Amino acid sequence: MEIRDSLIRGSVMEQYIRQIGYIKLNGFPGGLCSDLAEITGASESLTVWNTRQDNGVMGETVCESGPGDELLIKVPFAGATLTIRLLFYLREPWMPPDMSFSDIQFLSRISTEDLEDQVPALNNWNCSEDDIIAQLLHQLLQLYKKYQLEKLDDDEVLQFEYRSLLKTLKIGEGDIEILVNSPGHNTSSLLVRLPLSLQDVPPVLIDANPGSATSLLQNEGVFVPKLYLSPRVESLIGGANTLALPAVPPGTCLLDYVERVLELLEEKVRKAVLCFETRKQFIAQVLCQFGCAVMEYDAERFSKVVLMFEVKDFHFLTFITLGQLFPQFAAEAKYMAWVRYKGNPTRHNKYAHRMTCKHMVATSKWAITRWEADMHRKPTGVGVDSKMWLVLQQAPKIVLQSLYHNSPREPYSKEYSDQKYSPQWTPEEMVRNVRDVILSNVSSFQMSSIRTN
Amino acid sequence: MTPTTPSGGDPRQPSITCTNQLLNKNITWGSTAVSSLFQTDIGMAAEERSSGGSSPSEALEVTEQFGSVTVERHVPRINCPEHIILVVDVCREDGNTSYKLADGSKFSSLYMVKRAITLFLQNKHAIDSRHKFALVVLHESPIWLHDFTNNPREIMSELDELEDAVATSRCDLSLLFDLIARQISLPQCSNPAVAPPPCVFRTIVFYGRSQCLPQFLGGKAVFTHLIQSPHFFLDVLYMHEAPSDENKCEGIFDLLCGLDESGWSYVLEVSRNATKLHNHCGSLLAHPLQRPTQKDVHYTLNGVD
């Protein structure tokens, strides 16, 4: 009998582990930030929570829970965390688990009928199904959402904002999470998934990051917005912390603000796609003019091309690199490099920031020179120059590298900036200009590479 | 002897002025015509990856022509990581001459090839740090000295230890390619014309003997199997004495050229000219999926429009 018992218990345990594995594999069901959900085995006993639920009356519930019988699930919800604790009866696997929630009011407010209607898994607990726990959690979360929406009836303003968001953004109820007067706080918070479409984005720019593209705007209390971007979106337009959210002037309507943020993100996506297309055209032009000298080029993101050239019997490598947001404001590049360094102070980020500073200095000098030259020119024609060149944009980076000399551990190389660069040029003109930069610097490069060796 | 050197001539200009057309139509690079540079190769390759291997609506064959020979490229022009097998011949023959530099200093041929390979490794790593290198030493029989690594310093430190040895009377290429075939596993792509491979393998043989003809003493079956894969490439850099009646440089060079069965190999030669040796190592930096054929290379840069 003992052996049979332990065999049965063993197979129940295996099933239980499979059910947890199902959730870990397929992700937490439902929830806007479900990829951030955590599932762990609980170590505290259930009596603590039971005591609170009984409104201070000390209960003497004895739990015969062993390790692995309890699950603690932490689900992000509308910017806060809802913790669900499930206690399983592995000796009586046909019994559904006991439940506790960090939101103490939740269970006390919902009726038995609600539970029966909305969480059918409890009544139809089929312990042999791999996804039964997942189903239960999904149903519980939907019930929690419904409970929060019912609380909305007490807050007309928030309710109005909720409905306006649904209607104007044309999103579904599954795209918004609301926490009305969260426990312990007097503020409400709202999390909305923005309908940011990545449909027109070339797959190669976002393929590397799996998962849906999500931009979430959270509003806490008196309008404190926070933005969360999924890795897919971040890889395209940069981290959420590098995007400056618009300021919130007093009296701003939530809907207006959300629409502004969405427009900001859409603009960033459009810009990223435009940058990609521009880089592609530039690389195509390089290959057109110098295809017979190509060593290698980035055929996915078009960010780099390496060529070998010969000038008066001197052979050398040329690296032409385009920033991810090429053409991009030099000042913006510097700011983003600074933000990255502050967020992650590695040597690489420090070096990258220093390079953008040097580039900023170079472009400033260029702008001053250009401005002075422009001042001397008499305005002619229909109107004055639009001064578009004043928009300091980042030129392709040109590095010449030696085939013969190390200095001392790496091949000797030198970066050359393109003082004449203009974003107004066609790719063909840009490439011709790169050629001119190379030609005008190659003999000094040759001299210094020999000297260094 | 007709060494294969980079072709000279005037810089080639495109016949199409609109850049956008270049991405979709034929592009003329001098005497070559390359169709669908980006649109089908990369765009469809990316879609192929994301859609999990669905076949394209049109077959992809990129054709390059020079003279009357048509060489077909059957793989997209992706700069995937390369796994490069450097095969270094350490045999020193009698009468082996040194390299003389402009300042009068002399260096043995093994020293020069080590130096050239060092710069090759450093430059290749700078181009893309994903590229990996392995080292094989060619003497009596080939020895797999260092397995693939993307840290060039590991190969460089092995190279430093290499010393030349008395030349053997024969060089069996079958042993070399048997060894390579055992050590690598070629990518299996369901549709190699469209699906970009996870990596390509390239063997670069640095052969240094002027008296010994390399031969396939054990048959060519393994070599043929390797070379027919669209993801395996062979390049040769032949470093030899000055050709004369007393050596077999020309015959050896012809034989090495004969190893280029696909038309995509680079077979280069140099005779004790250090600059040319380094220049050839520069040519060898080119990615086999993206470089022009050897006859089409043209590195001269001038300011003429």
Side-chain angles (χ1 to χ4, degrees):
Chain A
M1 273 306 263
E2 275 185 25
I3 297 169
R4 188 165 162 265
D5 264 350
S6 69
L7 274 175
I8 291 171
R9 233 176 290 143
S11 77
V12 165
M13 185 54 101
E14 271 173 29
Q15 181 65 47
Y16 175 66
I17 290 169
R18 263 207 302 279
Q19 286 160 354
I20 299 171
Y22 179 93
I23 302 171
K24 289 191 171 169
L25 185 69
N26 293 293
F28 185 88
L32 291 178
C33 286
S34 50
D35 52 329
L36 299 176
E38 276 177 39
I39 302 178
T40 49
S43 53
E44 298 169 63
S45 72
L46 204 59
T47 50
V48 175
W49 288 39
N50 280 341
T51 305
R52 280 196 198 149
Q53 272 197 313
D54 294 341
N55 291 325
V57 173
M58 293 295 287
E60 291 211 357
T61 318
V62 175
C63 295
E64 282 188 5
S65 61
D69 291 3
E70 281 183 50
L71 275 185
L72 198 65
I73 300 116
K74 291 183 182 165
V75 188
F77 188 85
T81 304
L82 173 69
T83 307
I84 306 172
R85 181 173 268 150
L86 299 176
L87 173 65
F88 293 85
Y89 296 94
L90 290 182
R91 289 175 201 234
E92 291 152 336
W94 55 89
M95 295 281 294
D98 278 341
M99 305 176 299
S100 281
F101 299 87
S102 53
D103 185 346
I104 303 163
Q105 293 172 357
F106 172 50
L107 261 189
S108 58
R109 291 277 178 92
I110 54 172
S111 63
T112 321
E113 287 86 11
D114 277 338
L115 266 182
E116 276 181 16
D117 275 337
Q118 312 286 331
V119 193
L122 286 174
N123 276 338
N124 304 314
W125 186 257
N126 185 349
C127 56
S128 59
E129 279 179 18
D130 279 356
D131 65 344
I132 191 65
I133 304 181
Q135 282 183 44
L136 173 65
L137 290 171
H138 178 73
Q139 290 161 12
L140 285 172
L141 195 66
Q142 296 311 308
L143 185 60
Y144 189 71
K145 265 188 103 167
K146 188 164 173 284
Y147 157 71
Q148 290 294 336
L149 285 178
E150 277 164 11
K151 281 169 80 174
L152 253 191
D153 291 339
D154 302 330
D155 188 337
E156 276 182 20
V157 172
L158 193 56
Q159 192 181 66
F160 170 75
E161 285 177 336
Y162 170 72
R163 292 201 201 291
S164 326
L165 279 173
L166 281 179
K167 190 171 162 199
T168 315
L169 296 182
K170 299 192 183 65
I171 54 180
E173 286 186 357
D175 293 318
I176 306 188
E177 283 173 1
I178 290 196
L179 205 58
V180 182
N181 294 329
S182 54
H185 300 85
N186 281 329
T187 56
S188 302
S189 76
L190 178 151
L191 189 67
V192 56
R193 173 162 43 208
L194 301 171
L196 181 68
S197 166
L198 295 190
Q199 200 164 279
D200 298 327
V201 178
V204 71
L205 292 181
I206 48 178
D207 257 356
N209 293 292
S212 60
T214 311
S215 322
L216 300 167
L217 189 62
Q218 179 196 329
N219 177 34
E220 247 177 49
V222 189
F223 225 125
V224 178
K226 283 185 205 162
L227 182 65
Y228 302 97
L229 301 175
S230 68
R232 219 165 207 218
V233 176
E234 282 197 335
S235 71
L236 187 62
I237 63 174
N241 58 355
T242 63
L243 291 165
L245 283 178
V248 188
T252 303
C253 162
L254 178 65
L255 177 63
D256 287 343
Y257 187 77
V258 170
E259 283 185 308
R260 269 175 68 197
V261 171
L262 185 57
E263 265 169 35
L264 170 77
L265 293 175
E266 283 169 346
E267 178 55 30
K268 290 269 176 196
V269 169
R270 266 195 299 272
K271 208 166 158 187
V273 174
L274 177 65
C275 289
F276 172 79
E277 292 298 328
T278 311
R279 289 199 308 270
K280 194 167 160 183
Q281 286 190 19
F282 180 88
I283 298 287
Q285 196 47 233
V286 168
L287 294 180
C288 176
Q289 295 190 32
F290 306 120
C292 301
V294 74
M295 295 286 110
E296 199 169 307
Y297 60 92
D298 176 358
E300 287 197 335
R301 292 174 172 261
F302 305 105
S303 63
K304 185 163 84 170
V305 55
V306 185
L307 307 132
M308 184 160 96
F309 287 125
E310 173 263 316
V311 173
K312 293 180 189 161
D313 292 327
F314 174 67
H315 288 70
F316 57 97
L317 287 180
T318 303
F319 290 68
I320 305 172
T321 316
L322 306 173
Q324 281 303 305
L325 298 178
F326 162 82
Q328 185 197 20
F329 296 104
E332 199 180 316
K334 185 183 158 198
Y335 170 70
M336 284 185 65
W338 177 81
V339 169
R340 264 194 298 275
Y341 173 59
K342 280 293 173 194
N344 189 14
T346 60
R347 260 176 65 190
H348 175 264
N349 283 346
K350 186 175 180 181
Y351 174 77
H353 176 240
R354 211 184 293 155
M355 286 297 113
T356 55
C357 292
K358 282 187 182 170
H359 189 77
M360 187 70 235
V361 166
T363 39
S364 304
K365 285 183 183 160
W366 165 80
I368 292 166
T369 315
R370 178 75 195 259
W371 178 271
E372 284 169 357
D374 212 52
M375 286 284 123
H376 286 116
R377 261 198 301 274
K378 190 177 156 187
T380 56
V382 238
V384 188
D385 178 12
S386 68
K387 300 276 182 295
M388 274 302 290
W389 55 266
L390 238 192
V391 171
L392 305 175
Q393 305 230 359
Q394 194 180 50
K397 189 171 95 165
I398 304 164
V399 172
L400 302 190
Q401 189 149 313
S402 173
L403 289 168
Y404 314 115
H405 302 108
N406 310 64
S407 67
R409 294 170 132 224
E410 304 291 334
Y412 177 77
S413 67
K414 196 154 181 224
E415 184 177 334
Y416 293 93
S417 60
D418 184 357
Q419 300 287 348
K420 285 193 215 156
Y421 170 78
S422 163
Q424 308 295 308
W425 288 337
T426 61
E428 204 177 327
E429 287 167 325
M430 285 182 196
V431 171
R432 275 210 212 99
N433 192 64
V434 165
R435 179 200 61 198
D436 293 343
V437 168
I438 296 170
L439 284 171
S440 55
N441 286 291
V442 68
S443 47
S444 73
F445 172 75
Q446 185 176 5
M447 289 297 121
S448 41
S449 69
I450 295 169
R451 263 200 301 271
T452 309
N453 204 53
Chain B
M1 172 131 154
T2 49
T4 316
T5 54
S7 46
D10 297 327
R12 286 144 187 153
Q13 292 302 315
S15 59
I16 302 166
T17 51
C18 175
T19 308
N20 283 329
Q21 285 180 7
L22 293 170
L23 300 178
N24 300 318
K25 309 280 186 198
N26 288 338
I27 301 165
T28 308
W29 286 351
S31 62
T32 65
V34 179
S35 61
S36 309
L37 176 65
F38 288 144
Q39 192 73 17
T40 41
D41 283 357
I42 312 307
M44 288 186 75
E47 278 159 24
E48 160 84 16
R49 251 202 321 279
S50 59
S51 65
S54 56
S55 33
S57 54
E58 50 182 70
L60 245 190
E61 270 185 19
V62 177
T63 312
E64 303 218 2
Q65 290 185 328
F66 50 94
S68 59
V69 179
T70 302
V71 179
E72 289 178 356
R73 194 195 287 270
H74 289 296
V75 211
R77 290 176 178 242
I78 290 274
N79 58 317
C80 59
E82 284 188 69
H83 291 192
I84 300 174
I85 303 156
L86 300 160
V87 180
V88 182
D89 181 13
V90 295
C91 286
R92 186 192 66 246
E93 292 168 319
D94 285 339
N96 181 288
T97 58
S98 322
Y99 283 76
K100 279 189 206 124
L101 299 194
D103 60 2
S105 51
K106 284 189 191 176
F107 298 98
S108 71
S109 57
L110 184 62
Y111 175 86
M112 281 316 299
V113 78
K114 281 192 210 181
R115 203 173 138 62
I117 294 178
T118 298
L119 275 149
F120 170 85
L121 288 164
Q122 291 170 333
N123 276 315
K124 192 68 183 164
H125 184 73
I127 293 173
D128 190 337
S129 57
R130 297 174 305 167
H131 294 319
K132 288 187 172 176
F133 312 94
L135 185 62
V136 170
V137 166
L138 199 60
H139 183 230
E140 183 73 48
S141 51
I143 302 166
W144 190 270
L145 210 59
H146 200 294
D147 205 4
F148 290 107
T149 173
N150 66 346
N151 182 354
R153 291 207 184 101
E154 290 179 30
I155 303 289
M156 279 149 58
S157 60
E158 295 278 2
L159 270 178
D160 274 342
E161 309 277 305
L162 285 184
E163 285 179 7
D164 51 23
V166 173
T168 54
S169 55
R170 53 187 195 173
C171 174
D172 187 357
L173 293 176
S174 327
L175 291 178
L176 172 63
F177 289 102
D178 283 349
L179 173 65
I180 291 172
R182 279 200 303 275
Q183 295 287 342
I184 69 174
S185 62
L186 291 168
Q188 301 292 329
C189 289
S190 56
N191 194 349
V194 172
C199 68
V200 289
F201 289 90
R202 179 154 64 119
T203 301
I204 308 179
V205 178
F206 294 86
Y207 191 69
R209 285 173 255 185
S210 306
Q211 302 287 357
C212 173
L213 275 158
Q215 293 168 300
F216 285 96
L217 296 172
K220 273 181 95 169
V222 175
F223 170 75
T224 306
H225 168 74
L226 286 172
I227 214 80
Q228 58 78 40
S229 164
H231 307 123
F232 183 87
F233 296 87
L234 173 66
D235 291 334
V236 182
L237 176 48
Y238 180 34
M239 300 152 300
H240 55 85
E241 301 290 339
S244 73
D245 292 333
E246 267 127 58
N247 59 39
K248 300 178 185 157
C249 295
E250 291 203 30
I252 293 171
F253 185 69
D254 286 341
L255 204 142
L256 292 171
C257 286
L259 294 178
D260 177 17
E261 294 183 3
S262 62
W264 285 106
S265 299
Y266 279 21
V267 182
L268 305 158
E269 60 77 35
V270 64
S271 170
R272 306 301 182 250
N273 179 328
T275 306
K276 198 172 168 191
L277 172 65
H278 285 76
N279 293 345
H280 281 336
C281 283
S283 302
L284 289 171
L285 288 169
H287 196 292
L289 297 187
Q290 296 183 325
R291 66 190 188 188
T293 57
Q294 188 175 353
K295 290 212 168 161
D296 284 331
V297 294
H298 181 80
Y299 304 122
T300 306
L301 182 69
N302 56 42
V304 176
D305 275 347

